[in-house]
Amino acid sequence: MSKHPFNLYYNGGEYVKICGTQDGYFPDFGHHTANEMGGIWLHPIKLLDGFWLKLTDTKRNISVWSRADGFTSEPWGSRFQYDHGLSHIPVAMERTQFAPERVKGMTAAYELHHYGDEDLHLQVELLVRTDLRPVWFSDEVGVHDGVRDEPTVLNPREVLVQDEGNPWFTLVGTDLAGEELEVRSDLYGPEFTAGAGCGIAFRTELTMAAGERRRFHLFVAGSCTSREECEDSYRLLAAAHEALLAEKRGVYSAVAERAKLTVEGEPLWNEAFKWAKWNNQWLIQQVDGTGRGLTAGGPTYPWWFGCDSTYALQGVLAIGDPQLAKDTLNLLLEKSEEVNGNGRFIHELTTLGAVSNRGNTQETAHYIAFVWELFRWTGDEELLRRHYGYCVKGIGWLLGEMDPDGDLFPSGYGIIEIAGLNMELIDSAVYTAKALQAMAEMSGYLQEAEAQQKYSELAQRCTAAVNRSFWQENEGLFADAVAPVADVASKADFLVSLAEAQGVTGYREYMDRLLEADGADFTATAADADAAAGIQANAGHPADRGWLLNKNWVIVTPMEAGIAEPDKARRALDNMRNDTFIGEYGTYLSGMFQQGTMTISTGVHAVAEAASGNPDAALALLGRMLRSFSRVLPGSFSEMSPDYGCVVQAWTIYALAVPVVRHFFGAEPFAARKELRLKPQLPSAWSGKACTLERLVIGEAEFGLSLTEKDGVLQALIHNEAGWKVTVEWNGQIVESCEQRIELKLSGIELEAEEKR
């Protein structure tokens, strides 16, 4: 329960999203669609600005708009407690609300409890403000909000509202007793809202005996296509809301049981991991005619992104929802083909189906790398073939149009979207190397030998070039970017202005020192041209050098992606385990500025540590991230640690699930071959503790893993009901088995293995 009533909450079915404040109100906020990001949304349209309840004690002439003094976040919805917020009226109240998973509507249930000694005469007013309007970026593609919402009273307890200029509908109703109704465009409750909708007030008089309870509901349904669909959804919701809530509880119970983590003696870890899976479910968005996929964050980014997805979907695979990963990537591929067609992967797609950014350089490379991982976890060859053709185009775009100097480092913006930083950036270069490795694997699996050889050679050269050109020997770190001195000098004033705007002093002097440094140590010889690929690969021009401009968090990506040479990886990670890069809640976005931390910066850093064999350092970073758990919304991590930005963010599941599943438990699947390799590396803080991961979904199979490590000895129990080939590697010992129940005791000195059915 939270006692911070003005923080936001976020309830989500796959169709409808609800966002207000934890005191039960719906204030205007947001910048994409100014002051309109809250309320009730049926994407790509908004239905309501909000709803409010007023109670009047008619005997004593006391009126109060109810404001919650307690809030409980549930995986399936929210509960608001009104124990002390109703002034001197002797009534306690609870409001419970949820959006069904697959119905285009929501319901709020109110229960009043009269705790006084005498009969109580009340007037009850349930007020709703409609606001039928489209999602952000609609004007740019020719979809415009009508001037007003037009209401039609169906009966005293149901009002249908249509946008004046579009087939957008909402039907609002209640089972509150009585027939008094008022509908006006200028009818407001306790908050003025900016939307050009209408106010609807359902009122009634009632008498409550001492100790009596009364219950009633608000029902809201919508459609962005027809009145008939809106009315059908409403009738279903009003008739079956209890069954729909039971169904939703069942969905969330199933999510909790899938990839269920239990670490003995670590209740916070177990709880946070479970809630992260539930948070992920809140962010699924289905839009008829557009598609289904994982949105980036609520309430500020309730649509789809390229790079957010290629991070978050790695976590989605680890928690066992392959269909969501497929749906999301297919949706982004379809739009990339539609608006680009040349292999470039889109950055931002609204729920209206409009692309506002055709794609940053880094996310095309990251997309290609992820396609191979998705295949390894699902074994879906049809999906692999569907994406492979676009991946071929994507490599051509990266190493052609985006790499005019042919050094295998594509130019343009990476995940750090700072104006002016559109150079040859570390994340774009690293993920291009990873993409080339993935292309070699994909083409090899698809038996395209010539392509496999070409991509393999390019991957080796690109990996070597990253280690040569981005490595800063004097700093023991990888650089943010590679560029000629003249290119950085021309951006120096702009970069200084950015630093000074954030209150950073001394950055001008820092830039001057960088520009004056001897560039001899940063040069690299040209590599041979690749005639078969038609790409010049002269990695590292004499005029180019690496630049640590901001010490952005993406300088850990060579270790995260596993392409850093071992000695460089060790030195870089050693040199980042300090307060230049790490703050109270995790890894700073910029070691230079130290003014922001995200779950993604901390998560990628943790994966880098774990992938480099440092589980203790990875756990330490994640422990810092866990300090932000429930700081704003109980059961959730904010986008910006510890307490601002979106109250729920998709790539948090990457930050938690990937280190745990792929590194601590060491899961490396190849579903198409029905193989699972386990290379566990449990943190020393979990030594002697039973660590279990139940119902790990890979392809069509499920696995149960139970690991305990103590004094270098690993005891493992693996449930392998599908009979896959399971390989366990521990301290140089390797055991293979296809048994349905595998019990192992492994150490680096001796090996005891007992396999039982």
Side-chain angles (χ1 to χ4, degrees), residues 680-698:
Q681 48 169 353
L682 296 175
S684 59
W686 293 358
S687 177
K689 299 179 179 180
C691 304
T692 63
L693 193 61
E694 303 172 55
R695 296 196 60 207
L696 175 63
V697 178
I698 302 172

Side-chain angles (χ1 to χ4, degrees), residues 46-66:
K46 189 175 186 179
L47 302 180
L48 305 183
D49 275 339
F51 53 90
W52 304 263
L53 186 77
K54 182 168 79 170
L55 298 179
T56 300
D57 182 337
T58 57
K59 273 189 174 180
R60 291 180 290 170
N61 197 29
I62 299 174
S63 292
V64 58
W65 286 101
S66 58

Side-chain angles (χ1 to χ4, degrees), residues 312-518:
L313 296 182
Q314 296 180 58
V316 168
L317 291 174
I319 63 169
D321 195 349
Q323 192 58 53
L324 176 59
K326 294 178 187 180
D327 289 347
T328 307
L329 206 66
N330 286 339
L331 171 62
L332 293 167
L333 172 62
E334 290 168 8
K335 281 296 175 180
S336 297
E337 290 175 324
E338 178 185 321
V339 303
N340 292 323
N342 62 348
R344 184 179 183 180
F345 197 62
I346 61 171
H347 174 66
E348 191 166 9
L349 171 66
T350 76
T351 49
L352 190 67
V355 174
S356 65
N357 180 335
R358 293 172 57 196
N360 297 330
T361 303
Q362 165 265 345
E363 47 209 328
T364 294
H366 211 199
Y367 155 72
I368 296 167
F370 177 69
V371 168
W372 179 241
E373 184 175 337
L374 179 60
F375 174 68
R376 288 185 63 97
W377 279 80
T378 65
D380 190 334
E381 187 171 321
E382 181 181 352
L383 178 137
L384 176 64
R385 293 183 182 275
R386 169 78 176 88
H387 285 265
Y388 178 75
Y390 203 71
C391 290
V392 171
K393 291 182 178 180
I395 288 292
W397 180 72
L398 288 168
L399 300 184
E401 178 181 341
M402 302 309 292
D403 185 28
D405 60 8
D407 62 358
L408 299 181
F409 301 153
S411 300
Y413 287 105
I415 195 171
I416 306 295
E417 295 179 279
I418 299 175
L421 285 183
N422 54 340
M423 299 181 281
E424 294 179 343
L425 301 176
I426 182 67
D427 50 331
S428 297
V430 165
Y431 292 139
T432 296
K434 195 71 175 175
L436 288 165
Q437 292 176 355
M439 290 300 296
E441 297 281 5
M442 284 189 267
S443 54
Y445 181 85
L446 297 173
Q447 297 184 335
E448 296 188 7
E450 185 177 343
Q452 181 185 18
Q453 181 178 357
K454 177 184 73 173
Y455 292 128
S456 180
E457 291 174 355
L458 284 170
Q460 292 174 24
R461 287 215 301 270
C462 189
T463 298
V466 170
N467 279 280
R468 180 171 57 250
S469 298
F470 281 88
W471 180 248
Q472 304 289 279
E473 179 64 26
N474 56 331
E475 295 277 359
L477 296 168
F478 284 93
D480 297 304
V482 165
V485 173
D487 285 4
V488 175
S490 67
K491 299 177 186 292
D493 288 344
F494 177 73
L495 293 170
V496 169
S497 69
L498 289 178
E500 291 176 346
Q502 297 185 61
V504 176
T505 59
Y507 191 76
R508 168 71 69 183
E509 292 75 16
Y510 176 79
M511 283 298 303
D512 288 344
R513 288 195 300 272
L514 288 182
L515 290 168
E516 292 168 2
D518 180 7

